[in-house]
Each structure stands twice: as structure tokens, then as C-alpha cells.
């Protein structure tokens, strides 16, 4: 958000493309690096809930709290971007992240990263 604010303020909203904001802020690249990392075995939070499927377990509850926090951070970011529905945009981003983590583990990690970066670009551009 600070990168987008800096670029938009300094160069204007129309003068700065989404690709540039994403590149300078390293938006999708941070998650992409994780997905492509050596020894990556999928999302540790999703893996933890698979080991503790009882929603009332302390582990499962901790993961749900983390996801709620992550979603709220994204909702706030999309709200500041002016998204028409920041909650729906946050839900889409969480789903894309989850999908990229699974795809990175089960398939071609580089392809998963590219799809995630594309999805984030489309989502941010729609905001």
C-alpha cells in the first residue's frame, strides 16, 4: 500500500500501471517465492488443519484466527485501493493464495507462481 500511495501521489493514478506497483511492492512475488521455495510442502496452516480436523481443537482454532487476521489485512488493503467490495476481493485473494500453495506443492511451482501473479494483477486492476 505504501508503494502504491508513493507512486500514485508522485506520478498520478493514470500514469502508474498495476504491473509497476506490483513489481515495486513485490506483492505477488513474496508469496510466489514461498510457493517456489526448496522443500515447500504446501501451506503450513492448511497442513495443520488437515492434521487437526476437529474445528474445536486449539490448532484448528489458531489457524482460523490467523486466516481471519490475514483476510482482514487484505480487506483493509482492498478498501484503501477503492475496491467496490473489499470483502469479496479479500476472499478472492485468500482463495488464490491457497490455490497457489496447493498448486505449487502438487505441480509446477513456477507455473503456480505465474498464475498467482496474473490473478493478483487482475484483482488489483479491478479494484
Amino acid at each position: 500500500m505504501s508503494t502504491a500511495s508513493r507512486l500514485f501521489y508522485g506520478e498520478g493514478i493514470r500514469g502508474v500501471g498495476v504491473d509497476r506497483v506490483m513489481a515495486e511492492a513485490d506483492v505477488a512475488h513474496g508469496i510466489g517465492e514461498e510457493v517456489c521455495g526448496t522443500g515447500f510442502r504446501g501451506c503450513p496452516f492448511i497442513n495443520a488443519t488437515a492434521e487437526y480436523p476437529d474445528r474445536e481443537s486449539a490448532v484448528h482454532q489458531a489457524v482460523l484466527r490467523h486466516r481471519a487476521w490475514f483476510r482482514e489485512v487484505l480487506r483493509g488493503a482492498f478498501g484503501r485501493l477503492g475496491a467496490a467490495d473489499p470483502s469479496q476481493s479479500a476472499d478472492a485473494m485468500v482463495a488464490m493464495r491457497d490455490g497457489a500453495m496447493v498448486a505449487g506443492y502438487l505441480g509446477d511451482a513456477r507455473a503456480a507462481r505465474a498464475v498467482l501473479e496474473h490473478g493478483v494483477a487482475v484483482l488489483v486492476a479491478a479494484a
Side-chain angles (χ1 to χ4, degrees):
M1 291 309 305
S2 63
T3 301
S5 294
R6 176 180 51 81
L7 290 171
F8 291 151
Y9 182 77
E11 300 177 31
I13 293 171
R14 293 178 191 222
V16 177
V18 171
D19 292 339
R20 180 154 172 228
V21 174
M22 288 180 57
E24 289 196 30
D26 204 20
V27 172
H29 300 75
I31 295 171
E33 288 300 319
E34 184 177 356
V35 169
C36 294
T38 303
F40 182 73
R41 302 188 322 104
C43 175
F45 296 103
I46 293 172
N47 292 347
T49 59
E51 290 185 43
Y52 293 88
D54 179 3
R55 290 183 66 88
E56 301 306 315
S57 77
V59 171
H60 203 105
Q61 286 296 308
V63 171
L64 293 178
R65 282 190 302 275
H66 171 75
R67 287 177 70 79
W69 167 83
F70 180 60
R71 184 190 172 283
E72 185 58 28
V73 168
L74 292 170
R75 191 198 61 73
F78 282 110
R80 288 186 298 276
L81 277 175
D85 189 342
S87 292
Q88 188 175 34
S89 294
D91 288 342
M93 183 64 208
V94 170
M96 284 191 301
R97 176 192 171 272
D98 288 350
M101 295 253 190
V102 172
Y105 175 55
L106 295 177
D108 181 344
R110 284 180 175 61
R113 178 181 177 176
V115 169
L116 175 63
E117 289 172 354
H118 173 75
V120 170
V122 169
L123 190 58
V124 170

